[in-house]
Amino acid sequence: MSNDVLVVAEVREGELKKVTLEMIGQGAEIAQELGGTVNVVLMGSGVSPLVDSIGHYGLQKVYLADDPALENYTAEGYTKVLTDLLKETDPAVVLLAASTRGKDLAPRVAARLAVGLASDCTGIEVQDGRLLITRPIYAGKAIAKVTEETRPQMATVRPNIFPAAQIDTSSAAETVNLSVDIGDVRAKVIGLLKEAGERVELTEADIVVSGGRGMKGPENFALLEELADALGAAVGASRAAVDAGWRDHSHQVGQTGKVVTPTLYIACGISGAIQHLAGMKTSKYIVAINKDPEAPIFKVADYGIVADLFKAVPVLTEEFKKMKVEG
Ligand SMILES: Cc1cc2nc3c(=O)[nH]c(=O)nc-3n(C[C@H](O)[C@H](O)[C@H](O)COP(=O)(O)OP(=O)(O)OC[C@H]3O[C@@H](n4cnc5c(N)ncnc54)[C@H](O)[C@@H]3O)c2cc1C
């Protein structure tokens, strides 16, 4: 039985997502403790060129499942390919991203193999040869430490939590081409519609500017977009703003939206309900702009601005623009 760690690469539109390197970095630490190697599986169509960009991060092997049948993600097809690989290679640990795709794929694969799964992990240690996994529960109100009794030990990893692996040009991974069989896929993707004017992906962004009911209307999100442009940030929203129809649900941050862990989260006109905090509390720095000094968001904020956001946000935008010009 191997002590190897398998990282399931997160690929979107032919590009490797940053969380893949974060999982490789974390995987390397686990593998070192267990006395195994770190390997990656790349699934998709036309993903072979990515082997070059991923091959020099201290990996032993890159399993390549490059096939037109994997062009669009399907839960059934990807589950079959990954399950087949796990049955064949029997790794000790499998890491996937806690992304929309990873959250869909990981439980299906775990169910196929009848093994446990720890989702949305924010910490992983090795204790007595097994993973001791940290994960927020009850909308982030409590932290659970869990272990898994089954093999492989599977986990989905929250993006932006773990440091990315550093390139190691002295290492070169061996490529193992997989013969792809996606089995009997009953649900097929027939087309993808890209959001117009899409900016940085919310869950990947290093800076997120979010607006809540205090924005007072959809047109006022232009203020946040301007601030976001000055910072190279993504724009998020509270559920109140989404329920009011001001923003699309894909922008919602929170328990029933997306979980983000940027370096900087700027909450504008958001009260800080527990369900919102569940989606952004692990951000490194939180700035809150709210006219109510008693708003609960200030309890989690590193910096609080008690002000009318319609006055404060344009001032911030101007200052950030100046900083950019001055370099
Ligand atoms: C099962 C469940 C799941 C949920 N999931 C989510 C979720 O995923 N994400 C989420 O966000 N919520 C979620 N909620 C809803 C959550 O409980 C809150 O209702 C919601 O987060 C409130 O949004 P808000 O802070 O924008 O609005 P409010 O609570 O109304 O707060 C608006 C804030 O704006 C401030 N404000 C107003 N005007 C200005 C101004 N001019 N300048 C500065 N500040 C101003 C006010 O002082 C206030 O603090 C969920 C609720 C339930 C029950």
Side-chain angles (χ1 to χ4, degrees):
M1 276 202 298
S2 83
N3 288 323
D4 298 343
V5 176
L6 182 74
V7 169
V8 181
E10 181 85 3
V11 181
R12 282 294 155 87
E13 293 171 3
E15 269 183 40
L16 210 54
K17 291 296 178 187
K18 196 173 89 197
V19 65
T20 306
L21 295 184
E22 293 164 11
M23 291 190 284
I24 293 173
Q26 186 59 24
E29 284 185 22
I30 298 168
Q32 197 179 6
E33 293 271 337
L34 295 178
T37 62
V38 191
N39 306 302
V40 162
V41 57
L42 263 175
M43 292 183 279
S45 176
V47 290
S48 305
L50 296 178
V51 172
D52 265 352
S53 47
I54 210 172
H56 303 290
Y57 283 90
L59 304 170
Q60 187 83 11
K61 288 178 187 156
V62 175
Y63 295 103
L64 181 63
D66 190 346
D67 195 285
L70 296 174
E71 180 166 3
N72 287 318
Y73 170 78
T74 58
E76 290 168 305
Y78 275 59
T79 298
K80 170 86 169 58
V81 172
L82 184 54
T83 309
D84 286 350
L85 177 65
L86 296 182
K87 283 184 183 160
E88 196 185 312
T89 55
D90 185 32
V93 172
V94 182
L95 302 179
L96 296 97
S99 59
T100 313
R101 184 175 296 182
K103 285 176 185 172
D104 190 49
L105 181 58
R108 291 183 78 100
V109 172
R112 289 285 184 287
L113 298 174
V115 300
L117 168 69
S119 57
D120 203 15
C121 304
T122 54
I124 305 178
E125 299 158 56
V126 177
Q127 232 176 49
D128 304 326
R130 300 204 72 77
L131 300 188
L132 181 62
I133 296 168
T134 306
R135 49 184 304 267
I137 54 168
Y138 301 125
K141 267 282 186 201
I143 299 291
K145 296 259 187 190
V146 298
T147 55
E148 294 171 24
E149 299 298 325
T150 43
R151 180 186 170 100
Q153 298 169 81
M154 288 186 69
T156 59
V157 171
R158 189 178 283 199
N160 285 346
I161 292 279
F162 298 103
Q166 297 299 312
I167 197 151
D168 168 11
T169 42
S170 66
S171 73
E174 175 198 344
T175 306
V176 180
N177 286 297
L178 302 177
S179 62
V180 171
D181 170 18
I182 62 164
D184 181 18
V185 172
R186 290 163 298 172
K188 281 191 185 144
V189 177
I190 51 168
L192 291 174
L193 286 180
K194 214 173 165 192
E195 201 181 342
E198 201 181 323
R199 48 182 76 235
V200 200
E201 222 294 293
L202 198 53
T203 52
E204 293 244 320
D206 201 40
I207 306 179
V208 174
V209 178
S210 276
R213 205 192 313 265
M215 295 306 299
K216 307 231 186 316
E219 65 288 356
N220 295 328
F221 271 83
L223 277 180
L224 300 190
E225 270 156 19
E226 224 183 306
L227 175 58
D229 286 342
L231 291 166
V235 177
S238 73
R239 177 159 159 182
V242 170
D243 283 353
W246 302 346
R247 302 298 282 182
D248 187 75
H249 179 256
S250 60
H251 300 165
Q252 184 178 316
V253 173
Q255 189 184 329
T256 43
K258 292 197 168 137
V259 176
V260 299
T261 314
T263 306
L264 176 62
Y265 187 87
I266 307 180
C268 306
I270 293 177
S271 60
I274 167 112
Q275 297 90 353
H276 188 79
L277 301 187
M280 43 63 77
K281 214 167 99 180
T282 47
S283 305
K284 290 196 180 66
Y285 296 99
I286 298 170
V287 174
I289 307 173
N290 198 304
K291 64 179 185 185
D292 174 9
E294 302 298 324
I297 190 81
F298 288 127
K299 291 204 177 88
V300 298
D302 298 282
Y303 299 94
I305 305 174
V306 180
D308 180 350
L309 72 90
F310 294 99
K311 291 192 181 131
V313 171
V315 174
L316 281 179
T317 306
E318 278 318 302
E319 288 304 316
F320 285 127
K321 276 188 187 162
K322 273 191 224 157
M323 282 165 74
K324 230 163 123 182
V325 173
E326 286 160 12

